[in-house]
Amino acid sequence: MITLTYPVESSKVKFAIDKLKAIMTEMGEMWNVSTKKDPHTHNIIILTNSEGKQSFGLNVDLSVGSEGFQIQRAVHQGNTTIFILASEESGAMYGILELCEQLQTHGDLTSVNECIINPKFSFRALKFNLPWSSYRQNDSFEVQKETVRDLEFWKSFLDMMAENRYNVLTLWSMHPFPYMIKPKSFPKATPFTDEEMGEWKHFWTALFRMAKDRGIETYLVNWNIFVSESFREHYDQNAISDEKFYHLGESYSTEQIKQYNRECVTQLIDEYPDLTGLGTSLGERMGDMSPEERQLWVEDVYYQGMKDASRPVKYIYRAPFTIDTSLTRNVMEKIDFLPEPVWLELKFNWSHAYSTPKLRITHGGRSDGLKGYWNPDPKNYKVTWMARNEDFFTLRWAQPDFIREHIKENGHDYVGGYFIGSECFIPAYDYSHYRDSDHFQWTYAFEKHWLYYMLWGRLLFDPSTPDEVFANALGRRYGKSNGHPLLHAYSSVSKMPLALASSYLILWDFTLYAEGFLSTDTSGYNSGKAFISLEDLLNTRPIESTYLSIRDYVDRKMNQDSTEGFVTPIQLADLLEKDSKHGLELIASINNDLPLLCCEKADIKAWALLGLYFADKLRAGVCYQTFLKTGDESERQKALQWLESPHAIKHWDDLIEVTSSHYVEQPLMHLGDTPFSWKRFRPQVLEDIDFVLGRK
């Protein structure tokens, strides 16, 4: 019998204790709860403040900070007692979750390892775009509305967040207010009846409370100057609504519109006491305004609205995309009415963080221009990197070393943390997989991508978390002996999208979709003809400065210039081939035929085939560029050989076969009304051959 002693009044501790009880039940252990802290039986004792700790003669480490925890093991008369020590409830919750994991790994209390763990970052956020009043419009968002309105979905999602140590949920929409409040001075600005508003209010209230109970802060982030369509209809027909107007363009603002938005901010804060904070996105529908005018608008509306509220809230400030950092910095460091730190959000490598872990580009230009935000150190704000993923939504991805390197490169003292998420994908209803397949054993899309969320969450909390933790999690699902081979296979093949994004010029959202080998042009949709052709590869330049483009490499080779210190296209091709073949060898060694494991292995195979395809395409590009420079017909023939079977086209056909076995044609924001499948782009794969032959 294991006796549990913990602060029963804490909702955060109770959440974790429920997980612990379930695991002990699975282990066949009996347990009870006692308020008596008696270390002479098999006990687990959770202490959340200094009171009472010394009575056990514990050596409490003073380094345990906010959200951190210490696990100590003591033996009294042959009985093991586990102490979880924390300065506050969130730390205790994470300590209990750590104990849960150790029990699953070791099987008993006597093998639990002592440890002290503090979070690397205090801001560990998921970015979640709402499907109503959404910045992007597509069937992939329309299909999500029912699921995202379901509190059962949010319970599962928030459970996942807490278990993986995320502590911030950011909810993004153009203009959320009509779905949350009936503005007192503008009651017709919401299209809902009182009964419908009551249902919405119940939804938001429950969502924010569930998050708070799991140690998760909630923020609403929106795009400033918009109004609701109902406001436009009833109060100002010239206003810019969130439904009928594109998000880019010139501004339209009046004193009435300012009053409406300002009062919405105040009323929202007052009506939802569990909402943590707000965020603003300086820029949209402000195209004709100067940087100073944009800032004054936000101060007059949002800052004043927050000041007028009955309680302080936290704040996310999205860095403007094109202005001098000194203006933004000066404005932010004058803020004296908000809790510190203010979170300054910056896009890492624009919309494609899954590229190089080095900061090379940001929204609006080169990364060099950002240094003013942290040199000298900021006074009242922290930088928070937006690690956007617009590159893979369907195939599972896992590369822990990339995440560790990202944190090592960018986790400076002035950095408060990361946002993880997408502008173009909502991880709720899964529309990508055959739903009648025996593979399909999850309810929500984020559950399919469970390892992706685990990797980011756990490593943002503690970057020293070893691969063993993730391999054990795979082993618990698919057999202990399969954990390490699966993780290593994922790690090998998941380098493919990183290599493509580092090699290819990336800017805004749709300029790359790595798992589809797609890119629209820099101005917008490309009528579905978005496949990255051989010609595209020849014309692009890498964003990673240590990579050589195909043309630069061929020029250096012909001029007999050194390529030392650079990654050449041929070297990259060889690495891609090596990693892809290694991943395929690893999954071939796994004989377990569980349907869900087969689904994971199919994704690994798909990434491997994409890697092999990319490798052969790079080789073809080098040969063809050499032909163009020299006129050597044999080089053109080599290019054709790399593009034809058994090389590039064979890899793409194999990719079609493996993905068609369990994935359906699906909506994709990048392609507008054109649905996505790998099969759909086979004709464009073949066009590379026509290009090399001069028929295109």
Side-chain angles (χ1 to χ4, degrees):
M1 176 71 71
I2 295 177
T3 301
L4 302 173
T5 305
Y6 59 91
V8 294
E9 71 281 358
S10 169
S11 57
K12 297 174 189 177
V13 170
K14 182 181 182 303
F15 163 76
I17 285 290
D18 287 344
K19 304 291 181 185
L20 178 60
K21 290 176 179 177
I23 287 169
M24 289 192 296
T25 300
E26 290 174 7
M27 294 168 55
E29 291 280 2
M30 302 292 291
W31 51 266
N32 64 6
V33 178
S34 173
T35 58
K36 182 180 180 183
K37 300 179 179 68
D38 180 7
H40 293 90
T41 60
H42 280 75
N43 274 326
I44 299 173
I45 300 175
I46 294 96
L47 301 170
T48 57
N49 54 51
S50 59
E51 183 180 356
K53 292 179 182 177
Q54 297 301 326
S55 63
F56 293 100
L58 301 175
N59 181 21
V60 182
D61 196 296
L62 297 177
S63 67
V64 176
S66 177
E67 295 188 297
F69 60 87
Q70 180 179 9
I71 295 180
Q72 286 195 26
R73 189 177 68 246
V75 178
H76 296 272
Q77 298 179 0
N79 295 320
T80 298
T81 300
I82 301 296
F83 293 94
I84 297 176
L85 315 174
S87 62
E88 39 74 65
E89 294 176 16
S90 290
M93 176 182 70
Y94 295 137
I96 298 166
L97 293 172
E98 171 69 21
L99 176 61
C100 290
E101 194 168 85
Q102 290 208 36
L103 286 175
Q104 287 178 306
T105 300
H106 302 303
D108 60 74
L109 290 176
T110 60
S111 300
V112 170
N113 295 317
E114 296 185 319
C115 60
I116 296 173
I117 301 178
N118 285 304
K120 165 69 175 176
F121 299 111
S122 57
F123 187 95
R124 307 178 301 280
L126 290 183
K127 168 182 165 61
F128 194 104
N129 273 30
L130 296 170
W132 43 83
S133 188
S134 58
Y135 189 80
R136 299 289 183 201
Q137 310 241 340
N138 185 264
D139 287 345
S140 61
F141 272 32
E142 286 296 315
V143 76
Q144 299 292 0
K145 288 183 175 178
E146 181 179 350
T147 303
V148 177
R149 185 81 185 273
D150 186 351
L151 288 172
E152 284 300 311
F153 162 75
W154 283 109
K155 180 181 181 300
S156 297
F157 192 80
L158 293 166
D159 282 357
M160 177 276 294
M161 287 185 66
E163 289 167 12
N164 289 322
R165 319 300 195 258
Y166 295 102
N167 67 347
V168 178
L169 172 65
T170 59
L171 302 166
W172 300 64
S173 69
M174 294 274 280
H175 190 72
F177 305 115
Y179 297 88
M180 305 186 73
I181 60 171
K182 177 170 281 192
K184 294 175 182 176
S185 300
F186 303 90
K188 294 181 180 179
T190 178
F192 303 113
T193 65
D194 288 345
E195 182 180 359
E196 289 170 330
M197 282 305 304
E199 293 172 353
W200 275 110
K201 188 156 188 178
H202 169 73
F203 167 77
W204 294 112
T205 300
L207 171 56
F208 298 151
R209 170 51 63 174
M210 283 196 296
K212 189 173 183 179
D213 287 346
R214 291 159 176 77
I216 297 169
E217 296 184 340
T218 46
Y219 292 76
L220 285 169
V221 187
N222 69 309
W223 282 264
N224 330 310
I225 211 165
F226 295 91
V227 299
S228 67
E229 179 63 17
S230 294
F231 179 96
R232 190 187 70 83
E233 291 175 357
H234 292 99
Y235 299 104
D236 186 345
Q237 294 188 358
N238 294 316
I240 301 168
S241 82
D242 60 335
E243 292 182 22
K244 294 191 175 180
F245 291 82
Y246 192 58
H247 46 262
L248 299 179
E250 295 187 350
S251 65
Y252 176 82
S253 182
T254 65
E255 288 304 314
Q256 185 185 46
I257 287 174
K258 288 183 178 180
Q259 178 193 355
Y260 162 68
N261 276 286
R262 185 187 305 118
E263 292 184 6
C264 282
V265 168
T266 303
Q267 189 174 335
L268 178 74
I269 294 169
D270 289 345
E271 290 193 16
Y272 292 96
D274 289 334
L275 175 66
T276 307
L278 300 176
T280 52
S281 305
L282 206 65
E284 269 72 11
R285 275 294 174 176
M286 292 181 164
D288 57 333
M289 299 169 68
S290 69
E292 291 81 4
E293 288 172 330
R294 296 177 186 183
Q295 181 59 46
L296 287 172
W297 195 96
V298 170
E299 290 179 19
D300 190 17
V301 175
Y302 274 80
Y303 290 10
Q304 190 59 51
M306 289 188 282
K307 288 178 181 178
D308 292 341
S310 60
R311 64 183 179 91
V313 293
K314 296 184 179 182
Y315 183 52
I316 295 169
Y317 187 104
R318 296 196 75 199
F321 302 144
T322 58
I323 70 172
D324 182 1
T325 57
S326 62
L327 174 61
T328 302
R329 178 168 186 146
N330 290 339
V331 167
M332 293 187 66
E333 293 191 335
K334 290 178 182 177
I335 295 174
D336 59 2
F337 67 95
L338 291 170
E340 294 183 7
V342 174
W343 307 114
L344 177 68
E345 181 257 14
L346 292 169
K347 289 184 180 180
F348 192 95
N349 287 345
W350 210 313
S351 297
H352 302 276
Y354 297 87
S355 50
T356 169
K358 299 182 186 296
L359 183 63
R360 299 302 191 197
I361 192 171
T362 188
H363 200 149
R366 290 174 55 83
S367 61
D368 297 348
L370 297 178
K371 291 181 180 177
Y373 284 129
W374 52 78
N375 186 16
D377 287 344
K379 297 177 182 178
N380 65 334
Y381 66 87
K382 290 276 192 179
V383 168
T384 47
W385 299 119
M386 172 61 75
R388 285 267 293 274
N389 171 27
E390 313 306 342
D391 301 318
F392 43 85
F393 308 148
T394 301
L395 301 178
R396 301 165 177 88
W397 179 93
Q399 223 300 325
D401 286 341
F402 169 77
I403 299 174
R404 292 189 186 99
E405 183 64 21
H406 212 294
I407 293 168
K408 181 181 177 181
E409 283 280 341
N410 306 289
H412 306 89
D413 290 342
Y414 55 78
V415 174
Y418 280 67
F419 298 81
I420 307 301
S422 173
E423 189 71 40
C424 301
F425 176 67
I426 296 176
Y429 180 82
D430 189 339
Y431 49 77
S432 67
H433 204 285
Y434 284 113
R435 299 186 75 81
D436 58 355
S437 166
D438 59 356
H439 289 185
F440 196 83
Q441 297 180 21
W442 56 89
T443 304
Y444 306 114
F446 76 85
E447 294 172 321
K448 171 188 158 185
H449 295 285
W450 65 273
L451 185 54
Y452 169 88
Y453 289 102
M454 183 183 187
L455 285 170
W456 269 111
R458 296 298 299 277
L459 291 171
L460 286 175
F461 191 87
D462 178 13
S464 68
T465 302
D467 279 356
E468 191 79 18
V469 169
F470 310 118
N472 287 342
L474 283 161
R476 286 192 289 274
R477 290 172 179 250
Y478 304 122
K480 186 175 181 180
S481 63
N482 295 326
H484 282 283
L486 279 170
L487 183 63
H488 292 156
Y490 266 124
S491 297
S492 291
V493 302
S494 292
K495 296 174 187 176
M496 180 272 164
L498 311 176
L500 179 59
S502 296
S503 305
Y504 198 81
L505 179 62
I506 50 175
L507 300 172
W508 67 295
D509 306 9
F510 304 162
T511 54
L512 187 67
Y513 179 60
E515 72 180 353
F517 216 80
L518 303 181
S519 172
T520 64
D521 60 35
T522 57
S523 60
Y525 297 114
N526 210 14
S527 302
K529 195 173 177 62
F531 190 73
I532 298 174
S533 67
L534 187 65
E535 184 177 12
D536 293 331
L537 278 186
L538 292 174
N539 290 333
T540 194
R541 58 183 175 84
I543 71 154
E544 172 48 59
S545 60
T546 61
Y547 279 32
L548 284 178
S549 70
I550 290 173
R551 283 178 172 160
D552 285 346
Y553 169 65
V554 172
D555 285 346
R556 284 174 179 263
K557 187 177 178 183
M558 293 187 63
N559 295 331
Q560 296 184 332
D561 292 336
S562 173
T563 59
E564 187 175 352
F566 291 97
V567 177
T568 72
I570 296 300
Q571 288 173 330
L572 183 59
D574 291 345
L575 286 170
L576 284 163
E577 181 177 12
K578 179 182 176 182
D579 287 334
S580 297
K581 288 184 175 179
H582 183 54
L584 292 173
E585 290 169 359
L586 286 167
I587 60 172
S589 70
I590 299 172
N591 296 319
N592 193 318
D593 59 356
L594 288 170
L596 191 54
L597 176 56
C598 291
C599 195
E600 299 248 13
K601 290 166 65 177
D603 279 5
I604 292 170
K605 185 176 181 180
W607 279 124
L609 291 166
L610 278 164
L612 292 170
Y613 175 80
F614 185 23
D616 286 347
K617 193 152 177 164
L618 286 168
R619 292 165 176 145
V622 169
C623 293
Y624 184 68
Q625 183 64 20
T626 303
F627 159 73
L628 292 178
K629 299 292 286 188
T630 65
D632 185 346
E633 185 65 31
S634 67
E635 291 294 332
R636 176 154 66 174
Q637 292 305 311
K638 290 178 186 176
L640 288 171
Q641 290 173 7
W642 284 120
L643 292 172
E644 294 170 340
S645 187
H647 298 296
I649 188 61
K650 176 64 163 61
H651 300 319
W652 196 267
D653 284 341
D654 289 345
L655 175 65
I656 291 171
E657 181 180 2
V658 71
T659 54
S660 297
S661 68
H662 59 152
Y663 290 125
V664 300
E665 198 166 61
Q666 58 195 271
L668 179 65
M669 196 83 67
H670 303 56
L671 299 178
D673 295 331
T674 303
F676 170 76
S677 69
W678 286 270
K679 183 178 181 180
R680 175 175 286 271
F681 288 90
R682 189 178 190 274
Q684 293 182 41
V685 173
L686 293 174
E687 287 178 9
D688 283 342
I689 296 173
D690 290 334
F691 171 72
V692 170
L693 289 172
R695 297 196 298 238
K696 179 183 174 186

